[in-house]
Amino acid sequence: MAALRTLALIAVAFAVTHAVRAPAARAEEPSPQQRIAMIAKPSVVRVWGAYIATYDLEGNKIQEAIGGSGTGWFMTPDGYVATNAHVVSDIQGGDQAAKDALWKALLKDLDKQFGPQLRKMSDADIRRLLGAIKLVEVKKWAYIVLPNGEHLDYEIKQFGKPGTGRDAAIIKVKIDNAPTLPIGDSSKSQVEDHIVVIGYPGVADFKELLDDKSQLEASVTDGAISSLKRAASGEQILQISAPITHGNSGGPAIDQHGNVVGLATFGNDGDVQGFNFLVASATLLELVHDGKVEPKDSATNKAWNTGLEHFWADEYTDAVTAFEEVETLFPSHAEAPRLIRLAHQAQKDGKEKKPANSSALVGGLVGGGFVLAGLAVFLVRRGRRPAMAAPGSYGMMPGTPPQGYPGAPPPGYPGAPGPAQPQMYGRVQPAASGSTPAMQPIAKTVAVAGGGVQIGSLVATRGPLAGQRFPLAPSGIIVGRQPGVAHVLINDHRASGKHVWIGFENGRLVAIDQGTTNGTYINDPTRGRITRAELRDGDYIIVGEPDCLTLQIKLGA
C-alpha cells in the first residue's frame, strides 16, 4: 500500500507541476504570404507543351524545337489542371501542325545563320540542299512535372484563345487525391488587394547555377492588384505589380483568402516592371462550366493544412501524424517528407510544445491522482498473467494469420500458413456455429517497436539489397530509384524513380504501381504486372524483375 500511495503522490505532483508551468514563448508566426505559399505550393506543377525534332543533313544532326514550359495547378483531386492556352497551344495543333511549324523554324534558323551563303546559291542548289535534310525523330513533350520530379502525361480538355483575355486551358492527368487550390471570384477583386503568384519562371532554370532539385522548386513572388481592366474582347483582366516572366504562364495568383483570382499570363517585355497581367478566374470558370468540371477540395489538403497548423504551433507529434496521412493519401507529395524530417529534428532539439488543450487534460490528472494509482495496480496485477491475448482482444501476437483473413496468403503462395493457431492477428468476431470467425482489417492491429509504430517489415530476398529489412509503417513506403523520394532505394535501371507504393488504402494493405516502365508483380511475374493489388502476409513484391529487387511482406515482424 505504501508503494501505491507513493505512486499516487508522484502522479499528483507530476500533474500539478505541468498544470502550473507557464507556456514557453512561441516561435515567430509565419506571415500571411508565407502561409499562403506553404499551403499552395504542393498544388502547383510545371507544364510542358513542346515538340523537339532532330534532322540529319549529310551526317550532321540539327535540332529544332517549338513550344516550351509554363505553370499549372490542380483544380480537382482527380487531376484537372488549369494553365494558359498558349502554354499548350503547340500540343493542341496536333503532330502534323507541329512538324510544319518545326520545318518553318528550321528554315528560319538556317537563313539566320547561313543567309549570305544561301543567297549566293542557285535555286536548284537550294532545292538539293533542302531535299538532303531528313527528319530523324520528333518528340512530343505533353506532360506535367510534379514538385517531386514525377512526370504525368496530359490530355487537353478545354482550350481558350492564346494571347487574349481567354488565354486559359484545362488539361487532365491520371492521379488521385491531388492537392487542390480553390477558385475565387475575380469580380470581387479590388485595387491594392494583395496577391501571391507561384510558378516556374524560365529565368530560374539556369542549369549551370541550380541543381536538379532546385529546378523542381516553384518560385513565389508577391504584390498587389494595381488596376482592373478589360481585354479588347471584353473579358476581365487584372493588372498586378508582382513580377512574372516566361515560365510563370498559367501559374495561380492567390488572394489573401487563399483563393485563385487569376492566371499569370503576360507581362512587359522591356525593363519596366509593374505591367503584368492575369487572365481573371471568372474567365477560367467559363471553361470549367463548359467542360463540366467540378472544382473541389482534396482530402490531402485537409491533412496538409492540419499538419501545417500543428507544425507552426510547434506541436510536432500531431504535425507528423497529419503529414504521414498526407503521404498515405498522396505519395507524390514533395513537401510532407521534408516537414516530417524537420519536425523530428525539432523534437530531438526539445522544441516540442503541448497542444493548447493539454492543460485541461493534465488538470484532470490532479483530481484523479488516485485513479492513476488504481490503474497502476490493475496493470501490475495484469502483468503477472501470461502475455497472450484472449479472443476478442486487439494486439499483434506471434503466430500465423489464419487462411481467409485479409492478411494471410492463399494456399500455394510462398509462406502460406498451415492450420490456424490460437494466437492470431486481428479481432475475432462472434460467428455462427461451424463457421469461420470474421476478422477485422489488419489496419486495426499494429506492432510498436523502436519508439515508432510499424505494421511489419519488407525483407529483400533477391537483388543487390538481399538480406536487408525495411520497416513498414502505416503511412506506407515508396520503393524506387530516385534519391530523396524512395524509402527503399534500389540503384538499378530496371526500377523507376518512384516504382511502387506499399501501404494502407481503406484499411487494406496494398501495393500500387506508380506507372512504371518495367512493372510491379506479386509472387509470380507470369501472372502479369499489377496496377493495384491487395497484399497478404508472406507475399512477394517484384520490382521490374526478380533479380532487380524482390521484397517479402512480413507482418508483425
Side-chain angles (χ1 to χ4, degrees), residues 90-152:
D90 289 296
I91 303 302
Q92 171 72 10
D95 292 347
Q96 188 55 53
K99 290 178 181 179
D100 294 341
L102 287 164
W103 179 252
K104 291 178 182 178
L106 175 63
L107 295 181
K108 184 176 179 180
D109 283 346
L110 289 175
D111 184 68
K112 183 177 180 180
Q113 295 181 47
F114 308 107
Q117 295 93 320
L118 291 173
R119 279 183 276 278
K120 296 177 181 178
M121 297 172 62
S122 66
D123 291 344
D125 289 337
I126 291 177
R127 284 194 296 270
R128 280 193 293 271
L129 174 64
L130 297 181
I133 299 175
K134 305 298 181 184
L135 178 61
V136 176
E137 181 184 45
V138 176
K139 291 183 179 180
K140 178 182 178 181
W141 287 16
Y143 58 81
I144 68 170
V145 184
L146 300 181
N148 72 339
E150 187 176 345
H151 292 193
L152 296 174

Side-chain angles (χ1 to χ4, degrees), residues 188-349:
K188 296 180 180 178
S189 296
Q190 300 293 324
V191 173
E192 288 300 323
D193 282 355
H194 204 104
I195 51 104
V196 172
V197 180
I198 305 178
Y200 291 91
V203 294
D205 279 349
F206 295 119
K207 292 191 175 182
E208 63 272 18
L209 297 178
L210 301 178
D211 61 20
D212 291 340
K213 187 173 182 181
S214 296
Q215 293 181 53
L216 298 173
E217 181 82 11
S219 297
V220 180
T221 58
D222 67 328
I225 295 175
S226 53
S227 183
L228 304 175
K229 298 182 180 295
R230 292 277 171 185
S233 50
E235 293 86 7
Q236 183 185 25
I237 293 289
L238 304 181
Q239 183 178 336
I240 60 171
S241 60
I244 60 175
T245 188
H246 305 291
N248 271 115
S249 296
I254 306 168
D255 67 13
Q256 291 300 285
H257 303 291
N259 300 317
V260 178
V261 294
L263 283 70
T265 303
F266 56 94
N268 179 51
D269 287 334
D271 296 329
V272 180
Q273 284 296 313
F275 295 93
N276 303 311
F277 298 89
L278 310 176
V279 167
S281 62
T283 301
L284 173 64
L285 284 172
E286 293 177 8
L287 293 181
V288 167
H289 181 267
D290 292 343
K292 296 185 169 73
V293 179
E294 296 183 12
K296 61 182 67 173
D297 197 11
S298 167
T300 302
N301 289 66
K302 297 174 184 177
W304 176 239
N305 294 348
T306 298
L308 287 176
E309 290 303 325
H310 286 302
F311 186 85
W312 289 327
D314 300 332
E315 298 164 0
Y316 298 113
T317 298
D318 290 338
V320 169
T321 299
F323 292 145
E324 286 178 343
E325 182 181 356
V326 170
E327 288 189 304
T328 300
L329 290 166
F330 190 64
S332 300
H333 205 285
E335 295 291 324
R338 182 177 68 87
L339 289 193
I340 288 174
R341 291 193 295 271
L342 291 177
H344 285 318
Q345 185 60 51
Q347 288 174 317
K348 291 180 181 179
D349 295 341

Side-chain angles (χ1 to χ4, degrees), residues 9 35 127 226 253 277 372 378 392 489 504 529 551:
L9 291 174
R35 284 178 173 267
R127 284 194 296 270
S226 53
F277 298 89
L372 289 177
F378 171 77
L489 188 63
F504 278 101
R529 60 193 297 167
L551 298 164

Side-chain angles (χ1 to χ4, degrees), residues 22-75:
R26 289 181 54 80
E28 184 179 351
E29 290 282 352
S31 70
Q33 288 73 34
Q34 289 172 325
R35 284 178 173 267
I36 291 171
M38 282 294 292
I39 291 171
K41 278 176 66 176
S43 307
V44 182
V45 299
R46 170 164 275 177
V47 181
W48 277 97
Y51 280 88
I52 300 176
T54 301
Y55 297 93
D56 179 87
L57 176 57
E58 297 180 347
N60 297 307
K61 294 295 188 293
I62 305 172
Q63 280 199 326
E64 196 64 60
I66 58 172
S69 74
T71 304
W73 45 278
F74 286 111
M75 297 186 296

Side-chain angles (χ1 to χ4, degrees), residues 408-431:
Y413 274 28
Q421 303 295 321
Q423 299 169 334
M424 60 187 68
Y425 298 85
R427 183 174 185 175
V428 181
Q429 300 295 329

